[in-house]
Amino acid sequence: MPPYDHRAIEEKWQRYWREHQVFRSEIDPSKPKFYVLDMFPYPSGAGLHVGHPKGYIATDIYSRYKRMRGFNVLHPMGWDAFGLPAEQYAIETGTHPRETTKKNIDVFRRQFQSLGNDYDWAREIDTTDPGYVRWTQWIFRKLYERGLAYLAEVPVNWCPALGTVLANEEVVDGKSERGGHPVVRLPMRQWMLRITAYADRLLEDLNLVDWPDPIKKMQRDWIGRSEGARIFFEVAGWPNERIEVFTTRPDTLFGATYMVLAPEHPLVEKVTVADRRSAVEAYVQEVAIRSERARIAEVGEKTGVFTGAYAVHPVTQASLPIWIADYVVATYGTGAIMAVPAHDIRDFAFARKFHLPIVEVVSGGDISKAAYIGEGVNVNSDFLDGLPTPQAKQRMGEWLEQHGKGEQTVTYKLRDWLFSRQRYWGEPFPVLHLEDGTTKLVPESDLPVLLPELEDFRPSGEFEPPLARVRNWLEVTDPDTKQKALRDANTMPQWAGSCWYYLRFCDPHNAQEAWSRDAERYWMPVDLYVGGAEHAVLHLLYSRFWHKVLFDLGLVHTPEPFQKLLNPGMILGHSYRYFDTNLSDDPEVTPKVFPSSAVRFENNTPLDKVKGEELKARWVPSQEVRWGEDGIAYHPTIDGLVLEEVTEKMSKSRGNVVNPDDIIVEYGTDSMRLYEMFMGPLEKGAPWSTESIPGVSRFLQRAYRLIAGDREDTDGPTSLVDGPGTLEQARLTARTIQGVTTDIEDMGLNTAISKLMVFVRDIARDAPLPRASAEAFLLLLAPFAPHLAEELWVRIGNQPSIANQSWPTYDQALVVGEEITIPIQVNGKLRSKILVPADSSKDEILQLAQKDEKLAEWLRGTTPRKVIYVEKKLVNFVV
RNA sequence: GCGAGAGUGGCGGAACUGGCAGACGCGCGAGACUUAGGAUCUCGUGGGAGACCGUGGGGGUUCAAGUCCCCCCUCUCGCACCA
């Protein structure tokens, strides 16, 4: 039996924790609580790769630490299990998403459990479970009752060839990602959530939470509050119509020389004059087909057409031509603008292209060359002339309100949340659409509304969601009115379940309520929330929104759900690529191949350096790479083809995925945990390197030998020297406790580990290991390598479990030594060092410094012009 | 284009509010022990023969700059004409 048998030890302690329910958390008013939460995963078919556990390990270390500090810790795990991939798989294979989901969850659970984390598995939740769906629908009812859920006609991506509605990410260049079929935008009746009603509070309350600044900024920008004015323009010849525009620069109103409507604007059809109609319609068509991405690619290149209609300037009564152009977006502001080419870059470019007049109204720039968007003094502006920009804004705002031509207002970039998906695998809406055209909620007692069984998951080809085909589910009779009614064929998006799971974790088995008041009062808010920065905006904004609604209903007691937030950096993999000419992936052809040295890139497209021909990148799975003696990577079968090493996100398609199962079998989960934390700061990404694991593994083996001894009969208790040991040993122990403690508090887990390494290296160098040091060390090690720490804790004669022991303390006096080293500089360059008693005064230190021999050589023949002394840190002679 | 973050040995990374650059680990080199080892232990390891030079490049502030200020370069990640 090898001295440190990680497999036996890890199995033994995972069993112990499970059987003794060591991590079971219950409400205990006598203890302070601490709620640590990981963003729960979507259980994909691919299983975990080594990148996933990074954040989970960090929270595990922190929650174990908090438990040892006397907190009652809640650290749960569950599954965000609705989602597209399972449905996609059902379409391809006919396997019910429920089965796929169950299978995937089983794999994930096993992998998670092999990490040895301190999750309270009794609290596991699954968003697809009817007992969970019920409460998701219950929250929807609350939103609906508050008037925050409404129906609207919203365009979706409809692909006639596939006969299905596609998500934005499934549409590439106006074509379906699979198959490359054309996609059109068609309006469909869908659920919206009025998140905009909470825009101000979502913005304001960011001040209440302890989140990374970049994340807060992203949320602020996403909400995008801007102050300005709404201005009304009459339309010549249409006395009952007016165009409303929003502008942040009402002071430039006198510079407006034309109007632009978004092509989708409702007035377009109405006001367009007869002989412009065909041109306008053609343009509207063209814009509808052009994908988001194509539009983005052409930013700067302005297009548009004139409608033939004119608006009336609210002050001067001048006629302003009305154009349509896709640089005005329908969903922001009012979908219409007044164009002020002299003072807006986009309007300027447009006016130049279509020869529209440009009138300067704010001085300070040269509008013959470019738009001037800065502030200045108004000119050509009637009653605003001579006013600086802020006053001009104010004055115009007042004028508009006095004359009923507009109002001062605030607009948000944030839009209402499109809350329905044309999918099967999601929560059904708990509503009935009655014969008489009204919509009503399914009563609370009838929840959950469950999905009907479906045999065939393939799209019907009709313009409708899959649930619309299940007539016996869809068609019901309203019990109250006896009217015929239809259920809603849409389902909720994946966000729904993840918007409130943190509340369910507080009280996961409650069948009467979504959560009890007591549980919520005790556990909330989440004290530490850890998960990927990719959720910086959507998930975090959506769940904050729901939380605030629940707060207004008195169902939760904190305005914000997540107090502190951390984003772990991504672990990257090494992939190996080359290029070939087989653009269409035809298996019949033998393509020409190119190493990266023969390739150049143009707009991210790889081209043959010599001929300029387009190429396609290919990846060789890292296990198949053939390594030359020169250390160069070669293609496994194509002779002499050099592969380029690229560091990028781990994914199946790049063949660079490392499975944690393999690492755990070989080195143990304690080693993997330690390595992932030792790689660098939590927030930073870093490339994975299996070759570095033996380093931390060796450290664990040294720790094992240090405490369990080198003997073969490894089962008996170890003998240690009683008491605190030598002064040096007591010092090192105290310093290690102090250092590791502050590092964990700051989430500096990599430096905490390096301090543990130094301890093991030095503690028994000159004297046998004292019991006090050994125990302190094991307590410090316990959050990082919990299995080994448990094992050694028992081996030195203690009772399990170390997870419930108190965190070690230290004597402050031992941390500061008797002597300190003071570096001596001459002109800022290190020339010598002196050792002085720790309590030396400034004068004593300076005297000792001046007597130093090495220094004397550097000071020979000169007298110091100045001496800089930094309290017990440094002396610098300036000569 | 806009915004955010980052550039330190061969590699991952340390360095608290400006104060000994390179902790700890990988890799590499030398030695010890061993029947053997992806074993263990010890020592060394930024460059240069050298006074010296070194934290992406250039300037500056300071007794002192990886850290502060200005300009530039590169990479990564978000966002998408937001009126």
Side-chain angles (χ1 to χ4, degrees):
Chain A
M1 184 168 142
Y4 166 44
D5 181 352
H6 61 77
R7 197 187 299 212
I9 290 173
E10 289 173 3
E11 272 175 24
K12 171 179 167 186
W13 289 102
Q14 285 178 11
R15 193 175 337 111
Y16 180 91
W17 295 331
R18 200 167 50 240
E19 285 170 2
H20 293 79
Q21 304 202 354
V22 173
F23 303 122
R24 197 56 189 276
S25 27
E26 298 296 342
I27 294 177
D28 178 355
S30 70
K31 277 185 173 175
K33 66 91 187 183
F34 199 87
Y35 187 176
V36 183
L37 185 64
D38 299 294
M39 288 186 188
F40 68 161
Y42 171 74
S44 71
L48 291 180
H49 63 63
V50 291
H52 295 114
K54 189 174 179 185
Y56 303 136
I57 295 167
T59 52
D60 188 59
I61 291 170
Y62 200 72
S63 70
R64 286 173 179 271
Y65 165 75
K66 279 291 185 180
R67 184 177 295 107
M68 292 174 79
R69 300 231 62 161
F71 287 87
N72 188 18
V73 171
L74 176 59
H75 189 205
M77 182 44 74
W79 321 109
D80 189 12
F82 277 122
L84 219 44
E87 185 163 345
Q88 210 62 260
Y89 190 73
I91 292 169
E92 284 158 24
T93 66
T95 317
H96 196 290
R98 192 182 302 118
E99 277 174 50
T100 315
T101 302
K102 185 184 175 314
K103 209 179 76 204
N104 291 350
I105 287 178
D106 288 342
V107 172
F108 264 63
R109 189 190 301 105
R110 180 189 59 70
Q111 286 193 304
F112 266 89
Q113 288 180 340
S114 73
L115 296 174
N117 282 5
D118 66 350
Y119 295 125
D120 177 0
W121 285 105
R123 289 177 184 261
E124 177 180 347
I125 58 180
D126 165 359
T127 55
T128 65
D129 186 289
Y132 188 91
V133 168
R134 174 182 176 184
W135 299 113
T136 307
Q137 291 171 338
W138 176 80
I139 295 175
F140 179 83
R141 279 181 50 97
K142 299 284 173 206
L143 293 162
Y144 185 90
E145 284 167 355
R146 288 229 128 195
L148 295 168
Y150 62 95
L151 286 160
E153 293 280 328
V154 183
V156 294
N157 301 308
W158 170 248
C159 178
L162 294 174
T164 185
V165 170
L166 299 175
N168 276 337
E169 58 266 29
E170 296 176 294
V171 183
V172 180
D173 292 335
K175 296 193 184 110
S176 65
E177 193 187 17
R178 288 171 306 126
H181 306 295
V183 174
V184 290
R185 311 258 303 155
L186 289 176
M188 206 181 225
R189 201 161 168 73
Q190 306 200 61
W191 286 101
M192 303 291 292
L193 295 186
R194 212 178 296 280
I195 190 172
T196 49
Y198 281 74
D200 257 330
R201 282 166 68 193
L202 289 168
L203 191 63
E204 192 56 32
D205 288 356
L206 284 173
N207 296 323
L208 304 178
V209 294
D210 177 15
W211 290 11
D213 286 335
I215 302 288
K216 285 192 183 186
K217 189 177 178 338
M218 279 161 82
Q219 290 227 344
R220 287 197 183 102
D221 291 351
W222 190 265
I223 296 167
R225 184 192 150 93
S226 63
E227 289 181 17
R230 195 186 293 269
I231 303 178
F232 312 136
F233 289 74
E234 279 163 24
V235 185
W238 294 87
N240 296 320
E241 301 294 343
R242 66 179 189 187
I243 297 172
E244 289 186 25
V245 304
F246 173 77
T247 176
T248 54
R249 295 294 300 272
D251 57 302
T252 63
L253 178 56
F254 288 100
T257 56
Y258 63 102
M259 306 290 291
V260 185
L261 303 182
E264 301 89 343
H265 196 283
L267 276 181
V268 172
E269 216 188 327
K270 199 171 271 184
V271 303
T272 300
V273 301
D275 67 330
R276 300 294 307 157
R277 192 157 289 269
S278 60
V280 167
E281 277 168 8
Y283 184 73
V284 171
Q285 272 295 313
E286 189 192 319
V287 170
I289 293 165
R290 207 154 11 136
S291 69
E292 288 273 303
R293 209 175 278 198
R295 284 172 67 160
I296 291 160
E298 292 152 17
V299 166
E301 188 51 45
K302 297 280 178 285
T303 61
V305 293
F306 177 43
T307 63
Y310 289 87
V312 180
H313 192 286
V315 186
T316 65
Q317 307 297 315
S319 281
L320 305 176
I322 302 173
W323 287 65
I324 63 171
D326 69 350
Y327 83 90
V328 174
V329 293
T331 47
Y332 181 73
T334 60
I337 61 157
M338 64 174 200
V340 183
H343 305 289
D344 181 280
I345 292 163
R346 294 151 305 181
D347 297 344
F348 185 86
F350 192 83
R352 273 283 173 94
K353 179 160 174 184
F354 294 104
H355 309 292
L356 293 157
I358 300 172
V359 177
E360 180 180 52
V361 290
V362 179
S363 59
D366 178 359
I367 61 139
S368 66
K369 293 199 174 69
Y372 175 65
I373 57 168
E375 301 201 338
V377 172
N378 271 68
V379 294
N380 302 324
S381 294
D382 194 343
F383 56 89
L384 296 183
D385 279 345
L387 290 179
T389 302
Q391 280 91 314
K393 276 186 186 172
Q394 181 64 30
R395 187 67 228 288
M396 181 53 90
E398 288 161 6
W399 188 94
L400 289 168
E401 286 180 358
Q402 278 159 16
H403 294 79
K405 301 279 190 183
E407 62 199 9
Q408 306 194 51
T409 180
V410 173
T411 300
Y412 298 92
K413 201 163 88 181
L414 181 70
R415 307 172 198 167
D416 275 345
W417 175 12
L418 174 58
F419 194 66
S420 44
R421 300 294 127 100
Q422 293 70 45
R423 297 285 163 190
Y424 171 76
W425 194 229
E427 299 89 344
F429 284 87
V431 298
L432 296 177
H433 301 291
L434 303 187
E435 229 174 358
D436 64 10
T438 59
T439 297
K440 66 181 277 190
L441 290 169
V442 171
E444 208 177 312
S445 55
D446 288 355
L447 298 183
V449 177
L450 294 178
L451 287 166
E453 289 308 312
L454 205 59
E455 292 294 311
D456 184 359
F457 296 89
R458 281 174 302 180
S460 63
E462 302 294 316
F463 182 52
E464 62 182 18
L467 285 179
R469 305 204 313 256
V470 194
R471 305 309 296 187
N472 63 349
W473 178 82
L474 203 68
E475 295 167 358
V476 290
T477 306
D478 174 36
D480 298 336
T481 63
K482 309 299 175 209
Q483 278 188 65
K484 279 192 188 164
L486 289 179
R487 295 191 188 280
D488 198 302
N490 291 299
T491 52
M492 298 186 200
Q494 202 179 359
W495 307 112
S498 60
C499 262
W500 71 283
Y501 74 114
Y502 58 93
L503 290 165
R504 188 62 176 172
F505 274 137
C506 297
D507 195 6
H509 305 298
N510 196 329
Q512 275 72 50
E513 320 167 81
W515 57 85
S516 75
R517 189 182 156 82
D518 286 350
E520 191 277 331
R521 288 247 157 199
Y522 183 72
W523 291 116
M524 284 297 290
V526 173
D527 296 283
L528 177 65
Y529 193 28
V530 177
E534 64 273 20
H535 297 114
V537 178
L538 297 179
H539 162 63
L540 288 171
L541 198 66
Y542 292 156
S543 42
R544 290 180 63 220
F545 163 49
W546 280 33
H547 195 85
K548 290 191 180 304
V549 176
L550 297 169
F551 179 78
D552 291 348
L553 288 164
L555 294 165
V556 299
H557 79 287
T558 61
E560 285 289 327
F562 313 121
Q563 194 48 44
K564 187 181 167 88
L565 177 73
L566 287 177
N567 305 119
M570 209 180 304
I571 290 180
L572 307 169
H574 302 283
S575 38
Y576 299 88
R577 70 173 180 187
Y578 65 100
F579 301 84
D580 73 19
T581 50
N582 187 8
L583 297 182
S584 56
D585 300 332
D586 184 348
E588 300 297 315
V589 288
T590 311
K592 262 177 86 182
V593 297
F594 297 82
S596 72
S597 55
V599 174
R600 69 186 166 87
F601 283 85
E602 212 167 89
N603 301 326
N604 289 324
T605 310
L607 302 175
D608 174 353
K609 235 183 206 170
V610 184
K611 290 190 190 151
E613 201 182 339
E614 190 174 336
L615 302 174
K616 194 159 183 178
R618 303 286 168 184
W619 281 265
V620 174
S622 53
Q623 307 87 319
E624 292 173 20
V625 171
R626 202 157 43 84
W627 290 97
E629 282 165 31
D630 39 14
I632 291 174
Y634 290 97
H635 190 280
T637 54
I638 305 171
D639 241 8
L641 177 60
V642 175
L643 303 175
E644 178 190 16
E645 183 173 320
V646 192
T647 307
E648 56 194 348
K649 204 158 137 177
M650 284 192 185
S651 78
K652 230 180 185 172
S653 65
R654 300 293 158 94
N656 62 353
V657 170
V658 180
N659 189 326
D661 295 351
D662 301 340
I663 304 295
I664 290 172
V665 166
E666 190 149 18
Y667 298 98
T669 195
D670 279 342
S671 289
M672 186 178 79
R673 292 166 59 99
L674 226 45
Y675 170 64
E676 294 213 1
M677 296 302 102
F678 192 60
M679 286 172 82
L682 181 65
E683 295 90 333
K684 235 184 114 178
W688 176 265
S689 121
T690 303
E691 309 83 67
S692 296
I693 296 185
V696 288
S697 197
R698 271 200 283 275
F699 157 68
L700 290 181
Q701 288 175 39
R702 275 196 287 265
Y704 183 92
R705 276 200 308 276
L706 174 73
I707 290 166
D710 234 341
R711 307 166 313 175
E712 286 298 309
D713 58 326
T714 48
D715 286 348
T718 308
S719 53
L720 298 165
V721 180
D722 279 326
T726 65
L727 183 59
E728 277 313 303
Q729 287 174 317
R731 283 229 161 92
L732 177 57
T733 306
R735 282 189 190 139
T736 306
I737 296 171
Q738 184 201 36
V740 171
T741 306
T742 54
D743 281 353
I744 293 179
E745 291 285 352
D746 299 341
M747 275 286 169
L749 304 180
N750 53 333
T751 51
I753 293 167
S754 84
K755 286 173 179 110
L756 294 172
M757 287 172 166
V758 171
F759 175 91
V760 168
R761 186 189 64 193
D762 293 343
I763 192 68
R765 177 163 287 186
D766 302 317
L769 180 64
R771 168 164 291 273
S773 297
E775 292 194 342
F777 169 74
L778 290 178
L779 293 166
L780 298 177
L781 183 69
F784 296 89
H787 309 83
L788 178 61
E790 289 278 13
E791 177 68 18
L792 293 174
W793 183 249
V794 171
R795 206 66 80 74
I796 62 172
N798 294 305
Q799 291 300 311
S801 160
I802 196 172
N804 289 322
Q805 298 298 314
S806 292
W807 193 248
T809 55
Y810 60 93
D811 180 356
Q812 184 63 37
L814 286 171
V815 174
V816 273
E818 284 165 346
E819 290 186 310
I820 50 175
T821 306
I822 303 281
I824 310 296
Q825 299 181 334
V826 176
N827 288 341
K829 290 200 170 118
L830 180 70
R831 295 306 182 196
S832 180
K833 290 180 186 182
I834 55 171
L835 206 59
V836 302
D839 55 0
S840 303
S841 67
K842 176 182 176 180
D843 290 344
E844 285 165 340
I845 290 176
L846 288 181
Q847 265 178 22
L848 282 169
Q850 254 145 355
K851 273 190 278 181
D852 186 69
E853 288 169 27
K854 264 191 263 168
L855 189 74
E857 289 173 36
W858 291 98
L859 290 180
R860 205 195 318 273
T862 58
T863 26
R865 201 150 48 83
K866 198 172 165 190
V867 182
I868 310 282
Y869 171 75
V870 181
E871 182 70 14
K872 296 192 179 168
K873 274 260 179 67
L874 164 138
V875 178
N876 185 14
F877 292 92
V878 185
V879 298

